[in-house]
Structures are given as structure tokens and as C-alpha cells.
Amino acid sequence: MSVPNGTKVPGGTGVMVDIRSVHKSFGPLHVLKGIDLTVRTGEVTVVLGPSGSGKSTLLRTVNHLEKVDRGVISVDGVLIGYRRTGDRLRELPEREVLKQRTRIGFVFQNFHLFPHLTVLENITEAPVSALGRPRREAVEAARRLLERVGLADKETAYPRHLSGGQQQRVAIARALALEPRLLLFDEPTSALDPELVGEVLDVIKDLARRGTTMIVVTHEIGFAREVADTVVFMDDGRIVEQGPPGDVLDRPRHERTRAFLSKVL
Amino acid sequence: MSSDTLTKSAAVPETPDGADLPRIVPQRRLGQWTAAVVVLVLLGLAVNSVLRNDAFQWGVVADWFTSDAVLRGLWLTLWLTAVVMVLGFALGTLLAAFRLSANPVLRAVSWGYVWLFRSIPILVQLLLWFNIGALYPQILGVKTVDLLGPVTVAVIGLTLHEAAYAAEVVRGGILAVDRGQIEAAQALGLSRWRRWRRIVLPQAMRSIVPPAGNMLIGTLKGTSIVSVIAVQDLLYSVQLVYHRTYQVIPLLMVATVWYTVVTSLLGVGQYYVEKHYARGTERTR
């Protein structure tokens, strides 16, 4: 694929996300201490770990909501947030970063739907204003997406009138409206009442079956077991271990993974 | 009543209309009634004294109420208020953006502006601007007194004053918007301008409109201060009349009633503006 001003970086075919020795600090707090992670196209990677382990921060660096202090991240062969000139990485102007973000969908823990816009307007806003799609086309696409997440009858509702689970499904439809190459989920069910978790996970599972590349930060171990191709366990800013769910969840090699799983299972 | 029936009726009334249940008697509010009567009597006395006091000369009030001189003054008050509000909020929004920017110089300039213009009383400021010719006799080769007439001075002085307050109101409104809204818009690739116009400002307006409505009413009345530099607003117009006719009280009543009428209309307008920006966020009462 080609993105204007994007710099191609080496990476095997079928690699969607390539994260290399990423460091990030907030003041004196060293949150990411050298993260290396590869996500292959069409695969679901689930990131587990105790709170404060850096998993949300890692996710936010992938679409440059957080700038990294060191290291490189590329998505679909394109460096995120920077362009390489010689041995330097130069920060891209905001316009370019915004363009890169339209290829990466992000779903927040607290949905962050726009409260003053209807469900339909929430979904069509980005395709129309960021991609320049004709409004009619965007509306039709939005309706198809709403049907897919089971909310076809809610297009004129305002977010406040929906349940948490419905809001999160709208947020997923909003992210999908840009037809992203990659979807990032930041604890998508953590703000939901327990009985609403299932409907959101069902939508994500459906996306997984369709071969959408995803990174999901979550505490839902059952979901990880069922959907993940790779489970990544993070603790204290590092990836402690990663592998197929059968290995990491059932035969963890590391003591910290075992300790974490024994608490959440 | 046996304890047996008590338990039963607490769960589900035996009879459908609950005829066997004790009736609920609301508390008597003697104090409320007394207070209401006392206040009404006092109010009646006050209204009576106003209506029966011939010194108000309501006939004179009626004669001057829609006279040309008064309407011209009212018109100046109205457009001066509108111009000052628009320019003041435009400058105030810019100052708020400066204050919230990542650039420390812009932040400091904005802070300094608000500090300075909130510190100088508006009356002092108007007099300073009115006498600015003493500092700068000429501006761009034109005599300052020709360039800055009283009305221009009024617009400049009131606007600069208004902007300092507007900046804080707008800043407060923007800060009230959830940070996650901006992040969501960034994640969707919305441009800076689009984020501001479509996401932040409409939500900020919800917290901006009530204090801005307050300021609008304050400004409408505050423009009366320009009478000190002989700008013929509503107040100065009636003053000009009563300096001639010595009917001070009735002419002040003309101004009073007009200010009240316009303020009331603005209050109605504010209700609808607030309703518009409350889309999707109505409280369920």
C-alpha cells in the first residue's frame, strides 16, 4: 500500500504491526521499558497484565496518541508518527499523523462517543470530514455498520440514551467506518455492567472471524482463550511472555504470569 | 392491626384499592403560609407607594418613552452592546486559545492581558482611552482626536474590558469538555480545525452560554458608563432631556423600563440558545 510521505520499513510479508524497542516515560515514571512485538495480518493479539503494566500506553503509541521516547513502530509497513531521513526520525506534521490514524481504528474504554451528535452523525463524521467521502455514501455505509452491530434502529438516538453496551457497539461501528487496516481496543468492556459485556465481545469475535487484524487490551481471559491467536502478558513496562493462548494461559512459563492468572481466573 | 396483616399489607395490598391501609396526611406548612402572606403584603405596599407617588410622573414617562431622542439612545445602546459582545468574545476566544496552547509565550501573554484588563476599572480605562491623544498626539499621521471619537473610544474600551472576562468564560467552557472527546476525534483523524469547530466548541458552548448570557446583560447595562465620555446612549439621552426639563425621575424611569425590557428579552433568547446546545444531554428530571 502507499501512504503519501510514508516511509517503507523492512518487515516480512504479512506483518501488520511491528513494534521495536519502544520506551516511554511520563516524567520520572518509566512506563514502557523496551517493547518488541509483532502482529501478523489477520491475527488477533490480546494483551493482558495488571493495571499500571503499560498495556494501554503501548496500545496508544501504536496510533501515536502517545509519542514514544525511543524505538520505532510501523503499521502495514509505514512508520507511525515519524519519517526516516538517514539515521534520524523526524516527527511528522500533525496533518500526516492524522492521515495515518484513519487507517487505524481505536476503541476506548469509555467509548468517547460525541454526546451532541446522533449515533449516525457519530459514525459519518470521520469518513466525511477526514476522508472526504460524499455524505450520502457515508450514511449508507454507516447504516450497514449499524446493522452489523445490531443497532439499525438507533441511528437517530443520542449516545446518552443508549446502554453502555450499545454505546460501545456504536463506537466500534464508528471506528470501522474508516475501513481501517488495524483495530485497537483499549479495555473495551471494562466500563460495562457485567450483563452487557457479552454483546460487545460478540461484535469483536465477529470481527475476528472476518479476519480483522486487532490488538485487544482486556481483562477477559475467556475471550482471550477463545479469540486470540497470540496472548501477550505485560508487567512493569515489559512483555513477560507471549505465545498461543494454550501456552500462556494454561502453561505459563513465568512466575509473574502465573501469579496474575491465579488472581483473575 | 395484627402483626400478621401488617406483613401482608407491606408486601402486596390485600384489596386492590388498598382500602384497609392508613391514609397519608401531608405535613401542615404553617410557616410557609405566614411567610408568603408577609412577603405579599410588603410587596403590595411597595407597588402601591410607587403607583400612588405622583413624583414618578408616569404621564411624563409615557410621553418620552418612545420619543426620537430616547429611541436613538436605545439604538446606540443596543448596537454598542452587540458590537462589544461580538468583538469581546472574538478576542476572548483567541486569548483562551492562547492560554490553553502549548506555547509558553502565548500562555504568558494571555495571562498578562487578563490580569491587566481585569485590574483596571472600566471607568478609568474609558477616561484613559478618551485622553490617549495626550500620549500619542498623532497615529499614522492623523490627529488622534480625529481618529478616535467618543464612540470609537467606547467600543475599544468596552471591548478590551469584555475580552478579559470572555477569555475566562471561554477557557472554562473548553476545560469542561472531556479530554477523551479530543482524543477520540484525534484517533479518527479529524483535523485540528474540525475538532475545534465540530467537537469541542459545541460541547463547550453548554458551559459558556449561561455565563455569557450573564455577561451580555451586564454589558447592556454597563454601556451606560459611556455617558461619562458624552456618547449618546440610552442613559445619556435621557440625561440630556432632563438637564433641559428637570424631570429627572420620570426620565430615569424611561431608561429603567427600557433596560428592563431589553434584559427580559435577552433572558428569553438565552433560554432557547441553551436548549439548542443541550442536544443529546437533556437531564431526566
Side-chain angles (χ1 to χ4, degrees), chain B residues 23-284:
Chain B
R23 210 159 54 87
I24 292 171
V25 182
Q27 191 193 344
R28 282 208 197 139
R29 308 194 181 271
L30 209 60
Q32 270 191 11
W33 281 100
T34 322
V37 169
V38 169
V39 168
L40 279 177
V41 166
L42 290 175
L43 197 65
L45 289 174
V47 169
N48 185 48
S49 87
V50 169
L51 293 179
R52 301 275 290 268
N53 188 336
D54 292 338
F56 277 103
Q57 302 185 55
W58 292 108
V60 178
V61 173
D63 287 345
W64 284 102
F65 195 66
T66 52
S67 64
D68 278 356
V70 168
L71 289 183
R72 268 199 304 276
L74 175 68
W75 171 239
L76 187 134
T77 290
L78 289 179
W79 77 249
L80 184 61
T81 303
V83 167
V84 166
M85 268 315 266
V86 169
L87 293 181
F89 264 82
L91 182 56
T93 306
L94 187 72
L95 286 165
F98 277 19
R99 185 73 188 276
L100 294 170
S101 92
N103 186 330
V105 175
L106 295 187
R107 278 207 306 272
V109 166
S110 172
W111 183 90
Y113 179 96
V114 172
W115 166 77
L116 185 66
F117 283 88
R118 279 204 309 199
S119 305
I120 311 172
I122 179 65
L123 179 55
V124 176
Q125 225 200 104
L126 280 178
L127 294 173
L128 277 173
W129 285 105
F130 195 58
N131 295 293
I132 195 80
L135 284 173
Y136 303 98
Q138 285 200 337
I139 296 174
L140 302 170
V142 187
K143 277 175 93 178
T144 305
V145 281
D146 297 337
L147 198 65
L148 299 178
V151 174
T152 318
V153 163
V155 169
I156 292 174
L158 288 172
T159 296
L160 295 180
H161 180 77
E162 186 90 359
Y165 288 89
E168 291 295 278
V169 167
V170 173
R171 186 169 74 97
I174 294 170
L175 288 178
V177 178
D178 179 11
R179 169 89 203 134
Q181 290 290 309
I182 300 161
E183 274 196 346
Q186 283 175 329
L188 288 166
L190 302 192
S191 68
R192 187 177 286 249
W193 170 246
R194 188 77 184 174
R195 290 200 298 269
W196 167 254
R197 219 7 239 105
R198 177 79 165 162
I199 307 301
V200 177
L201 208 55
Q203 295 187 61
M205 285 305 276
R206 283 190 57 222
S207 7
I208 292 175
V209 170
N214 234 354
M215 280 180 64
L216 177 56
I217 287 167
T219 306
L220 174 83
K221 296 179 297 178
T223 54
S224 59
I225 204 164
V226 301
S227 55
V228 299
I229 54 172
V231 172
Q232 292 190 28
D233 73 323
L234 181 56
L235 176 61
Y236 196 63
S237 301
V238 301
Q239 284 179 321
L240 287 180
V241 176
Y242 71 60
H243 284 149
R244 250 185 312 119
T245 66
Y246 299 103
Q247 293 162 319
V248 176
I249 292 296
L251 277 146
L252 284 178
M253 288 319 290
V254 167
T256 303
V257 174
W258 268 123
Y259 280 123
T260 312
V261 166
V262 177
T263 305
S264 310
L265 292 177
L266 292 176
V268 174
Q270 182 180 345
Y271 170 80
Y272 285 101
V273 175
E274 275 181 30
K275 222 171 138 183
H276 172 77
Y277 284 109
R279 268 174 312 161
T281 54
E282 315 81 25
R283 289 214 176 88
T284 38

Side-chain angles (χ1 to χ4, degrees), chain A residues 60 63 65 94 98 101-102 106 108 112-117 125-126 129-130 158 160-161 174 178, chain B residues 178 180-181 183-192 194-195 198-199 202-203 279-283:
Chain A
R60 291 160 58 84
N63 74 343
L65 277 180
E94 197 193 9
L98 290 170
R101 288 205 187 109
T102 63
F106 199 103
F108 296 86
H112 295 327
L113 292 177
F114 305 128
H116 58 301
L117 303 181
E125 173 61 26
S129 84
Y158 284 99
R160 180 172 248 239
H161 303 137
R174 180 174 72 172
L178 291 164
Chain B
D178 179 11
Q181 290 290 309
E183 274 196 346
Q186 283 175 329
L188 288 166
L190 302 192
S191 68
R192 187 177 286 249
R194 188 77 184 174
R195 290 200 298 269
R198 177 79 165 162
I199 307 301
Q203 295 187 61
R279 268 174 312 161
T281 54
E282 315 81 25
R283 289 214 176 88

Side-chain angles (χ1 to χ4, degrees), chain A residues 3-6 81 92-102:
Chain A
V3 162
N5 287 349
L92 287 175
E94 197 193 9
R95 198 163 32 84
E96 301 293 336
V97 176
L98 290 170
K99 208 177 286 173
Q100 293 184 335
R101 288 205 187 109
T102 63

